[in-house]
Amino acid sequence: MKQTITGRRDLAAMLVPLGRALMDAERPVLQAHDLTMWAYVVLDGLHVLHGTDEQPTRSQAALADAIGGDKTRLIPVLDDLQQRGLIRRERDPADRRVHLLSLTTSGRALHDTVQQQIQRNEAMLRGRLPAHRRCDAGQRCRDARPAGRWRAQA
């Protein structure tokens, strides 16, 4: 392989193929539970925002911001999850323009089942690496993620 100026490839050039490979590995798990990747991201976003707390997310815009998605693209995903009884989406009595979002018991159970299967697969993948190369990739990703929208300087 040709040597780069810094001795390594750019992070995005390394992470994008890894992200695609991880999504490919998750796809069969999601399909087995009749979920799209975006539907799982929404369930996971609501789970992360509230854990076991039953308080709803303030708005679809807040959820979109938390998961890095476009709020207009979320509407059909939310419609599907609501019709399937996996989320609750109710008008905010204090502001009728706002929808409050939360997981139902079924949605939380489905999220937990899917997440366990995905993380079991991730553990098998990490298990193929030599012990000195294994790390808590999830913690490293959380540590490196910028708060809010990050813009690189030109």
Side-chain angles (χ1 to χ4, degrees):
M1 181 186 303
K2 185 177 176 183
Q3 188 65 280
T4 64
I5 296 170
T6 61
R8 67 167 178 80
R9 294 175 61 207
D10 298 330
L11 289 174
M14 293 185 287
L15 291 174
V16 167
L18 174 61
R20 288 184 178 142
L22 290 171
M23 288 184 348
D24 287 345
E26 288 181 11
R27 198 165 281 115
V29 174
L30 298 175
Q31 288 173 341
H33 295 282
D34 195 27
L35 287 174
T36 64
M37 183 63 70
W38 270 112
Y40 177 68
V41 168
V42 167
L43 294 177
D44 191 58
L46 289 171
H47 177 77
V48 168
L49 287 170
H50 300 290
T52 57
D53 183 1
E54 294 298 321
Q55 289 295 323
T57 296
R58 175 80 176 114
S59 69
Q60 292 173 192
L63 174 64
D65 188 51
I67 65 175
D70 177 348
K71 65 182 177 183
T72 59
R73 287 190 55 199
L74 284 181
I75 293 169
V77 176
L78 295 172
D79 288 343
D80 175 62
L81 293 172
Q82 183 179 15
Q83 289 169 355
R84 294 171 57 192
L86 300 173
I87 66 166
R88 277 185 295 279
R89 184 169 50 164
E90 301 165 337
R91 293 268 182 210
D92 183 346
D95 184 348
R96 303 280 303 147
R97 298 169 295 173
V98 173
H99 282 102
L100 301 175
L101 304 168
S102 59
L103 289 172
T104 63
T105 302
S106 297
R108 187 174 311 284
L110 179 60
H111 168 270
D112 293 349
T113 297
V114 170
Q115 186 176 61
Q116 287 169 1
Q117 291 175 1
I118 288 171
Q119 291 182 0
R120 193 169 35 249
N121 290 345
E122 291 170 352
M124 289 186 329
L125 176 66
R126 281 194 315 273
R128 296 184 350 205
L129 298 172
H132 70 283
R133 291 283 188 186
R134 295 178 199 154
C135 67
D136 182 353
Q139 184 60 48
R140 290 187 182 193
C141 288
R142 284 188 297 276
D143 291 346
R145 183 174 182 223
R149 302 273 184 214
W150 180 70
R151 300 272 186 234
Q153 294 182 3

